[in-house]
Amino acid sequence: MSNSISLNGVSVVIPTIDRAEVLIDTLKDIINQDFVNYEIIVIDQSDEINFKAIEFLDSSKITCRYFNAHFKGLPQARNFGLKQASKDIILYIDDDIRCEKDLIRNHYQAHLSHEADLVAGGITEKGDIANDKVAGYFNKWTATAVSNFSSTVSGRCSHGKGCNFSIKKRALFKVGGVDELLNIGAALYEESELALRLEKAGYKAWFEPKAHLIHLAAPMGGCRVIKDWPKYMYGLGHNRAILVFRHLSPIYWPTALIRTLLLGISYSRLDKSIKPFISVVKGLNHGRKAARLRPLNTDLSGEEILMKEAQIIRSQSCDTV
C-alpha cells in the first residue's frame, strides 16, 4: 500500500482537555521545530477557552489553528483533527509532552525512508529505561498492546501509542478514522484498534525511536478516570472486547477474556468491592456486541477561535463579571 511519492508536510494534531497550563509548554516545543512545512491544530474540549494558548499560537510564524470543540472524547478529537488537516501526514501528540526540535522531522523522514503508513515514535515516561527490546507489538493471547517505546531499536511494529504516532492521512481516511465507539471510560485501546485495522488493510507500521518525546502523563485532565475503578473497568472491558471479537481469531478468545477477568479481580481488590469485577463483565458483554458494528466516525463540530474573536469573547466575559 505504501509508496515513495513526496509528501506535502505534517499536520500536528493536539487533542486537549482541562490542561491549560501544561498545554503551553507542549506548544513551546512544537512551535520551535527545525522542520518547515507543518501546521498545528489544537482541539480543545475544555469548558473554558484557553486564551493564553490562542495568544501563544497567534505569535507563531507557522499556521496554527485553535478549535473550541462541541464534543468530548479522544477518538472524536482525532477524527475532527483528521478532517481539519491540510497536510499528507498527521502527527498525533498529547497535550502533556516535551520534545526536541527534531520530532516532526524524524517522523516525516521515517515515512519517506521506510515507506511507512504509520510511524510509532519513541516515548519516555516515568520509570522508563532505554533498552534494545522489541517495541510496539501485539500479544494476541492476552489482547494486550505491548508498548516498550523506550526502546532504541527501530523496526517493524504493529501499533503506536496515542501520545506520539503519525499516520498518512489517506490511510486513516481509507480505514474509516478512529473508532468513536471506543470513547468509553479512559478511551483505552483506541490507537491499538486503529493499528489492527490498518494492518488488516495491508498498511505498514514502523517504530522510529529518533522521533522521540517525553510524556509527562499529567495526573489531572485529559481522559483519565481518577479512582473510579468500576467506571474504568467497564471501559476497559468494553474496549478490549472490541479488540478481541473484531480482530482476533476464536483460538485467542479464551485466554484474552481470562486475562481481562483477572484484571477485574485485581481492581476489585484495589477497590475493596466486587463492583469493578461486575463492571468489567458488563463491559465485555456490551463490547462484544459493539465489535459487530462498523467503526464509528461521526459528523463533529467545533468553532475555530481566531485571535480577534478571542479578544472579543474575553472582553465580553470581563464585562459580565
Side-chain angles (χ1 to χ4, degrees):
M1 288 263 179
S2 302
N3 54 59
S4 57
I5 62 172
S6 60
L7 301 166
N8 77 344
V10 179
S11 296
V12 183
V13 174
I14 310 175
T16 184
I17 182 167
D18 296 334
R19 286 180 177 160
E21 293 302 321
V22 178
L23 174 64
I24 298 300
D25 288 334
T26 296
L27 293 176
K28 286 177 181 177
D29 289 351
I30 295 301
I31 282 176
N32 292 312
Q33 293 287 298
D34 61 11
F35 193 75
V36 176
N37 191 7
Y38 74 104
E39 64 181 352
I40 298 173
I41 302 172
V42 175
I43 316 296
D44 197 341
Q45 302 156 84
S46 309
D47 292 330
E48 297 182 0
I49 294 172
N50 191 337
F51 296 106
K52 188 175 180 180
I54 295 171
E55 291 172 4
F56 190 77
L57 292 170
D58 188 65
S59 66
S60 172
K61 294 181 181 179
I62 64 171
T63 300
C64 299
R65 304 174 70 191
Y66 174 97
F67 288 89
N68 177 30
H70 301 161
F71 56 84
K72 281 184 169 63
L74 184 53
Q76 283 87 338
R78 295 200 197 283
N79 285 339
F80 185 80
L82 164 65
K83 292 164 186 173
Q84 305 304 321
S86 66
K87 306 299 183 181
D88 287 339
I89 296 173
I90 299 175
L91 169 57
Y92 288 109
I93 61 171
D94 277 4
D95 55 5
D96 56 345
I97 64 97
R98 301 306 304 265
C99 64
E100 300 298 329
K101 294 183 178 181
D102 58 358
L103 174 69
I104 298 176
R105 175 167 53 83
N106 286 329
H107 267 282
Y108 182 83
Q109 191 58 49
H111 279 275
L112 292 180
S113 300
H114 305 290
E115 296 188 335
D117 298 290
L118 181 148
V119 172
I123 302 167
T124 299
E125 296 182 296
K126 186 176 181 180
D128 282 345
I129 299 174
N131 61 81
D132 58 0
K133 297 178 182 178
V134 177
Y137 67 92
F138 192 80
N139 185 331
K140 294 181 179 180
W141 293 105
T142 61
T144 302
V146 180
S147 298
N148 191 39
F149 292 123
S150 57
S151 173
T152 59
V153 181
S154 63
R156 291 289 299 270
C157 65
S158 62
H159 71 96
K161 197 166 184 178
C163 65
N164 184 21
F165 78 94
S166 59
I167 184 170
K168 286 191 173 75
K169 183 169 66 174
R170 60 171 176 77
L172 187 50
F173 268 122
K174 188 73 174 178
V175 299
V178 182
D179 188 358
E180 295 170 20
L181 292 172
L182 293 159
N183 186 35
I184 302 290
L188 297 171
Y189 316 125
E190 44 99 23
E191 68 271 57
S192 302
E193 194 281 329
L194 169 63
L196 290 172
R197 265 188 291 130
L198 286 164
E199 187 176 53
K200 276 185 176 179
Y203 291 105
K204 179 181 175 182
W206 183 266
F207 171 61
E208 180 49 68
K210 291 181 181 178
H212 174 268
L213 55 74
I214 297 172
H215 184 213
L216 303 177
M220 300 301 292
C223 56
R224 298 191 184 285
V225 177
I226 307 298
K227 294 185 178 180
D228 185 344
W229 301 129
K231 180 179 179 181
Y232 178 82
M233 291 309 297
Y234 175 82
L236 184 148
H238 177 276
N239 291 3
R240 190 177 281 233
I242 290 178
L243 288 186
V244 171
F245 294 107
R246 181 182 286 169
H247 296 292
L248 301 186
S249 299
I251 190 174
Y252 299 109
W253 293 359
T255 54
L257 295 176
I258 288 171
R259 172 59 177 164
T260 308
L261 293 173
L262 288 174
L263 286 172
I265 292 172
S266 296
Y267 276 89
S268 279
R269 288 174 177 169
L270 181 65
D271 196 55
K272 296 180 180 179
S273 79
I274 195 66
K275 291 180 180 178
F277 183 77
I278 293 173
S279 293
V280 82
V281 172
K282 289 181 178 178
L284 284 169
N285 184 46
H286 294 160
R288 177 180 59 83
K289 297 174 182 177
R292 302 169 188 163
L293 305 175
R294 295 181 60 182
L296 184 64
N297 187 340
T298 58
D299 187 15
L300 302 163
S301 65
E303 181 183 4
E304 184 173 3
I305 307 295
L306 304 175
M307 185 63 185
K308 199 172 285 187
E309 295 168 330
Q311 290 171 339
I312 294 172
I313 295 170
R314 194 176 218 175
S315 176
Q316 291 174 340
S317 299
C318 291
D319 290 342
T320 58
V321 174

